[in-house]
Amino acid sequence: MILEEAPAEAVDPEGRSEVPMVPWTVSAKSEAALRAQAGRLAAYVEADTTLDVTDLGWSLASSRAALEHRAVVLAADRGSALSGLSALADGLPAGNVVTGAAAVEPGRVVFVFPGQGSQWVGMAAELLESSAVFAERLDECDAALRAYVGWSVVDVVRGGAGAVSLDDVVVVQASLWAVMVSLAAVWCSVGVVPGAVIGHSQGEIAAAAVSGALSLGDAARVVVLRARAIAEGLSGRGGMVSVALPVDQVRLEAWDERISVASVNGPSSTVVSGDPEALDELLAVCEADGIRARRIAVDYASHSAQVESIREQVIGALEGIEPRPSEVPFYSTVTGGLIDTSELGAEYWFTNLRRTVRFDETVRALLADGFGFFVESSAHPVLTVGLQETFEDASSDAVALGTLRRDEGGPERFLTSLAEGYVRGLPVSWGSVFGGSGAGHVDLPTYAFQRERFWLGASVAPVGDASGFGLGVMDHPLLGAVVRVAGGDELLLTGRLSLVTHVWLADHVVSGLVLVPGAALVELALRAADEVGCVRVEELTLEAPLVVPGRGGVQVQLSVGAPDMTGCRELTVHSRTEEEGSPWTRHAAGVVSGEASTPDAGLSSWPPVGAEALAVDGFYAQVAESGYGYGPAFQGLRTAWRAGDDIYAEVELPEEQRQEAGRFGIHPALLDAALHPAALLDGPGSGALRLPFSWSGVVLHAVGATTLRVRVRPVGEDTVSVTVADATGAPVVSIDSLALREISSEQLRQAQDPTRDALFRVDWTPLPTIPDAPADADEFAVVGADDLQVSEASPYGSVAELAAAVEGGAPLPEFVFALFGALAEGEPVGAVHAATEQALGLVQAWLAEERFGSSRLVLVTRDAVSTRSGDDVADLAHAPLWGLVRAAQTENPGRFLLIDIDGEDKSHAAVPLGVAAALAAEEPQIAVREGELFVPRLVRSASAGGALVPPVGARAWRLATTGAGTLESLARVCPING
């Protein structure tokens, strides 16, 4: 509920600048909703001709959540925006529309830098003119290169008259290096920051510069001097050929060292290099065998034996470069995985040129480490197709993205690549795209909800054969129908239980309530498993007792899911009363499978040799004292023995129930009686009321039994295994594990009515602290007054001031504290306005500052929340801050932490410890009271001490309104007479 809108920020019209291409982001929860959303937005834009394209793009990007199904319309003007929206609404493709579905867990970002091949005359020239970030970084690269060359890489990029030729290997490699490094800076400027880098051949030099492993000057030295060695020592002596085969199928034995494997780019992409004549022979063999192969446009043989001839020249030229540990993980295509970049000295850069490029292997290592977006930072995509082939071969949903393309070197192409990643889940800071535009917020149409109503009208259930309703008939006493769900392999079994149709259930009474025994739910699970070809109940956990009402009945549903890769299926049991609008309650959940064996029950010798007979006379009278009200149908225990820790027993199904035993797998009353010997482990009069809770490894080996031999063996605390055989010792049922759990009479009474006590409230419970709290002052910073003295540094006046300090060399803090003290006395509503507006501005500034993406803003209030009944919330002005920040936490996980303290000194001192404890326990909110830490939890209102119950005799009251308006109209309360 939005009570009041925050004041709109004023926009200076003179501060606006034109954006050549504006992204309009649209998202929804489904494809249908996405189309409807586009249609609603198109109608909205058509109806209001005053809307500014840039304002609308900024509002869509900054004030709407990014849902799973996404689209980006690239709007050059109002007309192109409307045409793109219309195509999206109609489900038609359009050149300026990018669509996709974001992955639930998209994975981290890796920057990919290719080797030679992505160059073209005029590459990135348009971006050079339109992107200040690209131009600034390219100038830095130009300055670094000028120490070794007599030309300008800026001129090469512009491609004007007089620029040096891209035919020169030194020009090509140096220019590609500068462009790749500069494009990486553009990606970072829009929030796409790499979690790792990978380079292919010479691309590793760009990767080293971007990761921080080499300074820009050292990287320029490597790229120029090594290319010069290639030009002087290798040019004209060799060549390279791409072969569309897996590396293990490329046979080079006939050419010995004249041809080498230069790189393995993918599951069916191998590049070889060597002597020109040998390569001609290889091409002829490939053509004869129908193998696709092509020559690469280079006249030297990188990654071959020929490179040995320039070893001394390369190592000597690069002597003295100073590699360092990288800021971004560096995955080496020389070694095939993550390496320490302090090893990237002169010897490494020769090895990089000499050895096979293990690109495919390194990509697989990145996939295994959780990377999901591979952004090729180049002037034309060279590796994206091979990357996608590797993803498919590795059964990965990773995404390969390009940056620019041949003859598409401007902002439109970059925004398209950005959009292609965003619609698949790539994290993008759209605020940076609109930075400096002066765009302001405008109203947007509301979400196009896809309403599908599920309410059932009141009706009388007809009586008749289930097959007449399109259902399968179930020949089972507890089930009436079965249906296979269309379009899948799920199954739904239904039935109705009542004391009229299943009289024997009345004999299973616990604490005065008629319960469906756990044995009956197991029987249902076994029947459902048999219906889908499974024979074993891997597990079945009982979550809520199923109470049979004295009048009427309960509807029961068993849902069996589709099989997973191992053939297992999930199973759930629900019920509801027959009252109109009655909710469903889930009573059990488990898994069934198709694998089982028939073991030797070990009960052929009977009675067990050496066992001690136990008295069972009066057993049911004794257990009744603990709350078990077993009637005749469930009084099946006849004899019992003890041998060590094991209990052996004989149980029988009463004569009245035997006529239906053959319709069950095993009659629930008989199986329930087979569990009664477990009570003899502690003595039948122990007083504890324990019911079956979790069954594991249940297999039915024979059906229709009426007399059983039983062995109950303890396998843990309150856990037993149960082996059941017939009168001959042949196995009937085996239960690997059955856990029993105590249950109170109050819990059972609550189960009688699922809607009873449905309200919840927040309760604050103690949180154990952790031994060590962060102590390094560099980990902390403070915005505003530092009453807590959590940092040795002086507090910063704002987030912008802190950001400037970090930009100037101050350490990036892990935690930034913002303290909200008491406001000056004044009009209450005005104080709430001021406090909320202050907090809103702080949260917005924090989210807008990208450099703090890995830091956490800790907002500290004092006495702004109540942690126990009777607590006085002294700071009502800052209490709304908790609701505001909780909303921000929901949309931005891991960016905020809320702490409320009291006035005690030890609570102030416990704040850093509280931060550490909250992070360790993944708690987003915490309260400190007298130095102790508390966290919020939901509890049922009835069990929370009656905190919501008004005092006895108090007059009722209500909030009154004094007229239309905002919060001011809620300023007083009025008693209600009567």
Side-chain angles (χ1 to χ4, degrees):
M1 180 174 64
I2 300 174
L3 293 178
E4 185 174 351
E5 184 179 10
E9 295 181 7
V11 178
D12 179 12
E14 296 181 359
R16 298 179 68 95
S17 62
E18 185 176 347
V19 179
M21 183 64 63
V22 179
W24 283 15
T25 57
V26 186
S27 71
K29 291 291 289 182
S30 67
E31 289 187 22
L34 183 67
R35 293 194 297 271
Q37 194 81 327
R40 179 171 292 191
L41 184 59
Y44 182 74
V45 174
E46 283 182 321
D48 188 349
T49 59
T50 65
L51 286 172
D52 180 80
V53 173
T54 305
D55 287 346
L56 218 156
W58 166 239
S59 301
L60 287 168
S62 62
S63 62
R64 287 291 182 267
L67 304 178
E68 177 184 355
H69 292 270
R70 302 179 183 181
V72 178
V73 178
L74 297 173
D77 50 38
R78 179 187 178 86
S80 64
L82 281 172
S83 64
L85 285 174
S86 298
L88 178 60
D90 294 336
L92 301 175
N96 65 329
V97 178
V98 180
T99 61
V104 177
E105 296 181 2
R108 295 179 290 165
V109 177
V110 54
F111 279 3
V112 182
F113 301 94
Q116 198 164 320
S118 65
Q119 71 274 9
W120 50 280
V121 176
M123 56 181 172
E126 296 173 62
L127 205 61
L128 178 61
E129 302 302 325
S130 59
S131 171
V133 173
F134 182 83
E136 181 180 347
R137 190 59 167 164
L138 192 67
D139 282 341
E140 293 172 355
C141 292
D142 191 27
L145 290 170
R146 280 182 179 273
Y148 307 99
V149 299
W151 43 267
S152 169
V153 74
V154 175
D155 293 339
V156 174
V157 168
R158 286 200 173 101
V164 292
S165 172
L166 282 175
D167 294 333
D168 186 303
V169 64
V170 177
V171 176
V172 170
Q173 295 199 2
S175 300
L176 285 178
W177 170 82
V179 168
M180 290 191 292
V181 170
S182 303
L183 289 176
V186 179
W187 280 106
C188 291
S189 73
V190 294
V192 182
V193 179
V197 294
I198 177 178
H200 187 290
S201 189
Q202 75 170 64
E204 284 204 315
I205 309 173
V210 171
S211 69
L214 290 181
S215 68
L216 210 60
D218 276 352
R221 179 180 175 186
V222 173
V223 72
V224 172
L225 299 187
R226 199 180 74 159
R228 190 167 290 159
I230 292 172
E232 295 172 356
L234 298 180
S235 279
R237 295 175 50 199
M240 305 182 79
V241 168
S242 174
V243 183
L245 283 177
V247 65
D248 58 0
Q249 296 181 27
V250 178
R251 305 300 181 190
L252 302 178
E253 294 84 354
W255 295 279
D256 198 14
E257 289 192 358
R258 295 172 62 205
I259 301 179
S260 304
V261 175
S263 67
V264 181
N265 295 338
S268 59
S269 177
T270 305
V271 175
V272 299
S273 63
D275 299 344
E277 297 80 6
L279 293 176
D280 288 340
E281 296 170 10
L282 174 65
L283 285 168
V285 171
C286 289
E287 183 178 2
D289 293 343
I291 298 170
R292 184 162 50 89
R294 63 177 181 84
R295 191 181 287 276
I296 297 174
V298 295
D299 66 347
Y300 53 88
S302 298
H303 313 289
S304 74
Q306 290 187 13
V307 178
E308 291 292 343
S309 65
I310 61 170
R311 165 187 279 274
E312 299 305 323
Q313 182 179 354
V314 171
I315 294 178
L318 303 184
E319 196 68 43
I321 63 171
E322 298 178 353
R324 55 202 180 190
S326 61
E327 300 167 4
V328 179
F330 184 100
Y331 281 70
S332 168
T333 51
V334 174
T335 66
L338 184 64
I339 67 168
D340 177 2
T341 54
S342 59
E343 302 172 1
L344 303 187
E347 183 72 32
Y348 179 88
W349 295 111
F350 170 77
T351 306
N352 163 277
L353 183 63
R354 171 63 181 91
R355 287 190 187 169
T356 300
V357 180
R358 298 159 65 178
F359 186 74
D360 179 75
E361 178 183 347
T362 314
V363 168
R364 293 175 191 270
L366 285 159
L367 292 174
D369 288 346
F371 289 90
F373 284 99
F374 288 69
V375 178
E376 183 176 335
S377 181
S378 69
H380 183 78
V382 176
L383 299 172
T384 53
V385 174
L387 283 168
Q388 202 61 53
E389 289 179 355
T390 301
F391 302 160
E392 293 171 2
D393 186 65
S395 300
S396 170
D397 294 329
V399 178
L401 299 170
T403 303
L404 303 180
R405 287 185 180 177
R406 201 172 309 280
D407 299 325
E408 296 180 52
E412 180 176 356
R413 178 62 250 174
F414 176 75
L415 281 176
T416 301
S417 298
L418 189 65
E420 289 169 349
Y422 170 75
V423 299
R424 297 291 298 276
L426 182 73
V428 174
S429 175
W430 291 109
S432 301
V433 176
F434 289 90
S437 67
H441 281 284
V442 295
D443 288 337
L444 295 171
T446 55
Y447 184 81
F449 289 102
Q450 303 296 290
R451 295 178 174 86
E452 185 177 358
R453 304 199 178 275
F454 295 95
W455 300 109
L456 300 178
S459 62
V460 177
V463 178
D465 191 307
S467 62
F469 306 112
L471 308 176
V473 179
M474 289 292 294
D475 183 20
H476 191 279
L478 302 180
L479 297 169
V482 59
V483 60
R484 293 190 179 273
V485 180
D489 196 16
E490 297 88 3
L491 196 72
L492 187 67
L493 301 94
T494 65
R496 178 183 180 274
L497 305 179
S498 77
L499 298 183
V500 174
T501 56
H502 304 84
V503 180
W504 53 271
L505 284 174
D507 286 349
H508 190 267
V509 179
V510 181
S511 292
L513 297 175
V514 178
L515 297 187
V516 174
L521 299 183
V522 170
E523 163 64 14
L524 289 173
L526 288 168
R527 184 64 186 87
D530 182 68
E531 195 70 14
V532 294
C534 294
V535 297
R536 177 182 172 94
V537 177
E538 291 288 350
E539 60 183 46
L540 185 71
T541 301
L542 309 188
E543 300 175 348
L546 203 172
V547 179
V548 183
R551 302 179 65 179
V554 291
Q555 300 169 357
V556 178
Q557 284 190 359
L558 275 79
S559 174
V560 185
D564 62 14
M565 295 178 62
T566 64
C568 293
R569 296 171 179 258
E570 293 184 353
L571 176 143
T572 58
V573 181
H574 290 76
S575 83
R576 69 175 180 182
T577 65
E578 293 177 315
E579 296 177 6
E580 183 176 353
S582 175
W584 289 98
T585 297
R586 191 166 95 164
H587 297 283
V591 175
V592 298
S593 71
E595 297 183 1
S597 58
T598 302
D600 181 4
L603 300 178
S604 299
S605 176
W606 198 260
V609 177
E612 174 189 0
L614 300 175
V616 296
D617 294 337
F619 172 84
Y620 289 103
Q622 292 174 343
V623 297
E625 297 175 3
S626 300
Y628 300 98
Y630 293 122
F634 287 79
Q635 293 182 4
L637 180 61
R638 298 291 178 261
T639 54
W641 298 265
R642 181 190 293 272
D645 292 334
D646 295 350
I647 300 292
Y648 294 82
E650 237 173 35
V651 295
E652 291 181 354
L653 191 65
E655 188 64 34
E656 295 79 5
Q657 315 306 326
R658 292 193 176 196
Q659 60 183 357
E660 275 204 329
R663 295 183 61 202
F664 291 94
I666 181 169
H667 197 292
L670 184 62
L671 180 57
D672 189 88
L675 308 180
H676 295 173
L680 297 172
L681 292 170
D682 299 324
S686 62
L689 183 61
R690 298 188 302 174
L691 295 180
F693 167 66
S694 179
W695 308 68
S696 299
V698 183
V699 180
L700 180 65
H701 304 287
V703 301
T706 58
T707 302
L708 303 177
R709 297 176 179 179
V710 180
R711 179 180 65 226
V712 177
R713 172 171 293 170
V715 293
E717 184 177 356
D718 291 335
T719 305
V720 297
S721 67
V722 183
T723 304
V724 180
D726 63 13
T728 68
V732 174
V733 176
S734 56
I735 304 170
D736 292 346
S737 171
L738 170 60
L740 305 170
R741 175 174 288 183
E742 284 192 37
I743 188 168
S744 68
S745 299
E746 174 62 22
Q747 289 173 301
L748 290 174
R749 282 193 292 274
Q750 289 182 9
Q752 187 175 15
D753 180 4
T755 64
R756 180 176 179 265
D757 192 23
L759 294 178
F760 289 80
R761 69 182 291 270
V762 174
D763 191 21
W764 290 81
T765 60
L767 174 70
T769 58
I770 58 177
D772 299 313
D776 188 346
D778 287 347
E779 296 180 358
F780 302 100
V782 177
V783 174
D786 188 9
D787 296 337
L788 298 180
Q789 298 180 345
V790 295
S791 173
E792 296 178 0
S794 300
Y796 297 93
S798 65
V799 172
E801 185 179 321
L802 173 59
V806 172
E807 182 71 23
L812 180 66
E814 185 175 352
F815 308 105
V816 176
F817 287 83
L819 282 67
F820 291 85
L823 294 173
E825 294 186 4
E827 199 272 322
V829 175
V832 173
H833 278 190
T836 308
E837 188 172 345
Q838 176 193 7
L840 178 62
L842 177 64
V843 168
Q844 290 175 332
W846 178 257
L847 292 174
E849 186 52 64
E850 299 168 14
R851 71 189 74 240
F852 297 135
S854 60
S855 302
R856 191 175 299 234
L857 181 62
V858 184
L859 298 100
V860 185
T861 59
R862 183 158 65 188
D863 292 325
V865 294
S866 173
T867 59
R868 52 196 163 200
S869 179
D871 262 7
D872 183 23
V873 179
D875 191 1
L876 289 173
H878 286 114
L881 180 152
W882 276 67
L884 184 151
V885 176
R886 279 197 294 258
Q889 286 177 323
T890 301
E891 293 194 359
N892 304 274
R895 298 296 307 278
F896 300 97
L897 174 62
L898 274 166
I899 296 183
D900 189 75
I901 63 173
D902 56 17
E904 300 290 333
D905 290 341
K906 53 186 174 182
S907 295
H908 287 215
V911 168
L913 185 65
V915 170
L919 295 182
E922 297 184 352
E923 295 287 346
Q925 303 153 38
I926 194 167
V928 188
R929 296 293 183 264
E930 298 180 356
E932 189 176 357
L933 309 180
F934 294 86
V935 291
R937 293 291 185 267
L938 281 181
V939 296
R940 291 190 178 274
S941 297
S943 62
L948 298 180
V949 179
V952 177
R955 299 179 67 190
W957 56 271
R958 64 183 173 86
L959 288 176
T961 59
T962 59
T966 55
L967 292 175
E968 289 86 351
S969 64
L970 300 177
R972 59 194 180 110
V973 298
C974 298
I976 302 174
N977 294 324

